[in-house]
Amino acid sequence: MTKNKSVLNWVKEMEQLTTPDSIVWIDGSKEQLDQLRGQAVASGELIKLNEEKLPGCYLHRTKVNDVARVEDRTFICSTVPENAGPTNNWKAPAEAYKMLYDIARGSYKGRTMYVISYSMGPIGSPLAQIGVEVTDSIYVVLNMAIMTRVSSKVFDVLGDSDYWVRGLHCSCDIDAEKRYICHFPEDNTIISVNSAYGGNVLLGKKCFALRIASYLGQKDEWMAEHMLILGVEKPNGEIKYVTAAFPSACGKTNLAMLIPPEGYRKNGYKVWCVGDDIAWMRKGADGRLYAINPENGFFGVAPGTNAKSNPNALASTQKNTIFTNVVQNLDDNTVWWEGLNKTPPANAIDWKGNPWDGTASTEKGAHPNSRFTAPAQNCPCISPEFDSTTGVPISAIIFGGRRAQTTPLVYQSRDWNNGVFVGSIMASETTAAATGAVGVVRRDPMAMLPFCGYHMGDYFAHWIKMGEILGDKAPKIFNVNWFRLDDEGNFLWPGFGDNFRVLEWIIDRCEGTADAVETPIGFVPKADDINIDGLDIDFETLKSILTVDNAQWVKESEGIEEFYKKFGDRLPAELKSQLEGLESRLG
Ligand code: OXD
Ligand code: MN
């Protein structure tokens, strides 16, 4: 498939290490993928679902010990330990290679090595990057073929360059004690062993498109961010693009595919989805910031996805989709998950592979982090610019999190550096996307805490520098919080499609046509500035979720000060002075 020496040499080296019985180069063709699907069904790795109701769809179950990303077993292996920073686990590269190669040695014996060449981003785009992953898992091949652009064509683009990301995945025994997800940013290399769960093994996604790419971007004046990208089309046909960063499982996929409320739709508003998880951004020829989605599909959380919360995501899963760890409905060989509808199947198999009666069982049928891997082109609102090689120009960057109190529904930062501060202090209550406790508040700067491939203090400095590079063409920066609760624990804002009302204010602010009041934390809309026509929310409630409570923010700033101590002298002076500015405005 290629004459590229660096690729051939590395694949040879991996072959000698893992000693497979055979090697298959994946060209991404339908014939080859069909044959692999057939093989996976025959071995039981995949279950073919009802071809009439869910054409081209399959179900996969992981081992019960292998259901989420494993942050405690994820490492950045930089030569200098400090360069991994205080928010990452670190291992010395030589020691890590030795340990991983010892685990990988001979692990493909009796198995096939699949060599996947893929592009993150439209093939040939100046914003795209190339990777090669070797794996012994057909599940990985088939998921990568949905999530990335798998093709032999990437080698034409690569030519004889050795600038590509190496990824070695070995399923081994799925032994949780020997599970490691290691990144070698200085070598453009990722090694993942003893897991078969998506986030740990689809190496193009979190490992490459965020951890390695964030490091590459810092060196080369671009940004790899944990952000959705969407376009808001106005009645006059003009489209404004925004990106948004929320921590895992806080509704990025829902916002990315939002359907505006009826009144807006009637007037000609529409939302186009460019991406739901990752954005790569670079200054374009006109000086603005341009974004591409490096992925080619959605690896979405199934539970909670339904015809009301996200009809576009649900529609995306109706063909050519791989479901992982959801319920299998035996009556019609379809799938089900908690929150899909109120009628769980009685005659079913749960995510662990056991018989399950959803009408009687108190146990969940689908794992809370069960997923669908769906082609982006299935999405009814996929942007016509999805395959654009130049990307889309970004007007606003939105940060957000899941906060029961303190953070208002929306506010705009005072300027770029203040926006970097707003991103750096993001905090959210933890969810089920990673292993560990659920419901604990943790700081998650720019939603990148588990995904930044280098020292986070240097990452903040990179953001500050990008502001200098972009100057007055830089996007405006906002923060949103859909999750304010009342004293009884009820959500105060309806969320979902009605979040469009907040997007409207954000876009109007970018165009200088919406009003705001200045508060110590930034510019907040007056209650009048958010359109609540047709909404079942009273004006007082809206006012209450737009209020900035100084006492709560004094407490918050103490928490920020504590958090900032982690970064020592690598915290940019600009952020220190932003915190001081906030404290003085709070009085
Ligand atoms: C994801 C995550 O899977 O952020 O997108 O965990
Ligand atoms: Mn994510």
Side-chain angles (χ1 to χ4, degrees):
M1 282 229 304
T2 178
K3 292 197 171 76
N4 182 300
K5 287 221 169 58
S6 59
V7 173
L8 293 173
N9 289 344
W10 181 76
V11 170
K12 186 91 210 144
E13 200 187 316
M14 294 304 105
E15 181 193 351
Q16 285 165 351
L17 175 71
T18 58
T19 59
D21 282 12
S22 57
I23 301 186
V24 174
W25 289 72
I26 301 298
D27 59 18
S29 67
K30 183 172 176 322
E31 299 70 43
Q32 190 184 42
L33 297 176
D34 277 348
Q35 197 247 322
L36 289 174
R37 284 186 270 263
Q39 222 174 298
V41 169
S43 72
E45 192 175 346
L46 290 183
I47 295 165
K48 172 93 183 92
L49 295 166
N50 185 321
E51 181 61 21
E52 254 146 55
K53 292 191 172 169
L54 294 169
C57 292
Y58 295 83
L59 170 65
H60 172 78
R61 297 188 194 104
T62 65
K63 291 250 163 73
V64 293
N65 75 358
D66 190 29
V67 292
R69 289 185 289 99
V70 280
E71 290 172 16
D72 57 330
R73 308 197 70 91
T74 299
F75 293 84
I76 301 297
C77 308
S78 48
T79 313
V80 177
E82 289 73 34
N83 289 349
T87 57
N88 282 313
N89 301 312
W90 174 83
K91 270 190 195 302
E95 187 193 312
Y97 276 122
K98 177 169 181 337
M99 175 190 76
L100 296 162
Y101 282 0
D102 284 349
I103 293 171
R105 190 164 293 109
S107 72
Y108 286 8
K109 213 168 175 33
R111 303 175 66 86
T112 300
M113 171 194 262
Y114 300 99
V115 184
I116 311 166
S117 49
Y118 64 98
S119 175
M120 297 309 289
I123 295 176
S125 161
L127 285 90
Q129 302 278 338
I130 286 168
V132 178
E133 173 169 355
V134 301
T135 177
D136 55 347
S137 157
I138 297 180
Y139 172 77
V140 168
V141 173
L142 296 175
N143 275 271
M144 285 292 283
I146 297 173
M147 292 306 297
T148 74
R149 285 145 170 110
V150 171
S151 169
S152 51
K153 285 200 198 95
V154 304
F155 287 129
D156 302 338
V157 175
L158 187 63
D160 55 12
S161 165
D162 72 351
Y163 193 82
W164 51 277
V165 172
R166 290 116 176 101
L168 168 64
H169 165 243
C170 304
S171 307
C172 303
D173 306 319
I174 318 292
D175 178 349
E177 299 299 315
K178 291 196 192 135
R179 183 169 301 152
Y180 294 99
I181 321 297
C182 292
H183 306 73
F184 302 82
E186 293 150 32
D187 303 343
N188 265 352
T189 295
I190 305 154
I191 302 180
S192 165
V193 294
N194 274 299
S195 174
Y197 165 77
N200 299 327
V201 299
L202 309 181
L203 300 184
K205 192 173 179 63
K206 303 300 186 180
C207 301
F208 178 170
L210 290 175
R211 297 194 191 96
I212 296 286
S214 60
Y215 174 86
L216 298 176
Q218 185 222 15
K219 298 222 150 326
D220 201 17
E221 298 187 348
W222 56 283
M223 306 168 88
E225 299 296 334
H226 192 196
M227 290 178 175
L228 66 88
I229 311 166
L230 66 81
V232 173
E233 180 171 338
K234 298 201 244 176
N236 66 5
E238 189 191 9
I239 304 180
K240 293 278 179 189
Y241 294 93
V242 307
T243 64
F246 308 148
S248 303
C250 282
K252 280 210 308 296
T253 305
N254 289 349
L255 185 64
M257 300 178 191
L258 173 152
I259 296 178
E262 199 188 341
Y264 285 94
R265 288 204 307 278
K266 265 204 213 130
N267 289 337
Y269 286 93
K270 188 164 172 40
V271 167
W272 296 104
C273 172
V274 183
D276 78 326
D277 196 39
I278 299 175
W280 285 358
M281 301 185 285
R282 200 188 265 278
K283 181 174 160 177
D286 63 359
R288 297 184 66 192
L289 188 63
Y290 280 73
I292 60 162
N293 171 10
E295 302 193 281
N296 202 25
F298 308 118
F299 184 61
V301 177
T305 303
N306 60 50
K308 176 169 182 285
S309 68
N310 195 337
N312 284 323
L314 195 60
S316 304
T317 66
Q318 299 302 292
K319 60 178 183 196
N320 303 330
T321 292
I322 299 174
F323 297 93
T324 302
N325 291 341
V326 299
V327 174
Q328 182 184 11
N329 180 347
L330 292 178
D331 283 339
D332 61 356
N333 195 24
T334 58
V335 288
W336 189 86
W337 49 77
E338 278 69 23
L340 175 63
N341 53 42
K342 296 207 165 75
T343 51
N347 178 26
I349 308 266
D350 71 6
W351 72 273
K352 294 179 185 159
N354 299 320
W356 186 76
D357 176 352
T359 60
S361 177
T362 51
E363 301 260 315
K364 285 198 181 349
H367 187 275
N369 192 36
S370 54
R371 299 280 177 148
F372 53 81
T373 317
Q377 292 301 345
N378 280 1
C379 181
C381 66
I382 197 70
S383 165
E385 297 299 319
F386 181 75
D387 285 317
S388 158
T389 51
T390 47
V392 294
I394 300 303
S395 299
I397 293 174
I398 305 171
F399 295 118
R402 189 181 278 271
R403 297 298 300 270
Q405 290 186 23
T406 312
T407 311
L409 176 65
V410 58
Y411 66 102
Q412 180 183 0
S413 68
R414 303 162 70 83
D415 54 28
W416 179 272
N417 279 3
N418 183 242
V420 178
F421 171 74
V422 169
S424 77
I425 64 168
M426 256 172 68
S428 197
E429 284 136 31
T430 50
T431 66
T435 51
V438 171
V440 179
V441 170
R442 77 165 180 178
R443 297 241 164 240
D444 188 352
M446 282 84 169
M448 282 289 278
L449 190 74
F451 306 120
C452 181
Y454 61 105
H455 195 296
M456 208 144 204
D458 297 349
Y459 167 80
F460 296 148
H462 179 52
W463 264 85
I464 304 264
K465 184 172 158 204
M466 287 304 296
E468 286 157 13
I469 290 170
L470 295 163
D472 61 6
K473 300 244 172 74
K476 305 273 185 279
I477 302 180
F478 297 80
N479 193 87
V480 297
N481 175 25
W482 319 131
F483 301 97
R484 286 282 290 260
L485 299 180
D486 67 14
D487 293 342
E488 274 88 52
N490 304 305
F491 288 113
L492 289 165
W493 176 250
F496 302 109
D498 288 310
N499 292 336
F500 188 83
R501 299 166 190 275
V502 174
L503 283 182
E504 182 183 36
W505 180 78
I506 287 174
I507 285 168
D508 288 350
R509 284 297 289 173
C510 292
E511 295 178 341
T513 57
D515 214 351
V517 277
E518 189 171 352
T519 74
I521 63 169
F523 299 96
V524 177
K526 288 193 256 132
D528 281 336
D529 300 325
I530 302 284
N531 174 10
I532 52 171
D533 281 358
L535 246 198
D536 187 20
I537 182 173
D538 62 63
F539 200 66
E540 287 311 307
T541 305
L542 178 60
K543 258 176 149 170
S544 77
I545 57 176
L546 290 171
T547 306
V548 175
D549 179 328
N550 270 30
Q552 282 179 347
W553 275 92
V554 166
K555 210 162 143 248
E556 187 75 4
S557 62
E558 288 162 8
I560 297 164
E561 201 168 326
E562 201 48 44
F563 178 64
Y564 269 5
K565 282 187 190 152
K566 265 188 184 209
F567 304 103
D569 59 8
R570 279 162 99 154
L571 181 79
E574 289 86 348
L575 292 190
K576 227 182 277 170
S577 79
Q578 285 291 333
L579 176 57
E580 286 159 9
L582 173 64
E583 286 165 343
S584 87
R585 288 191 299 276
L586 289 167

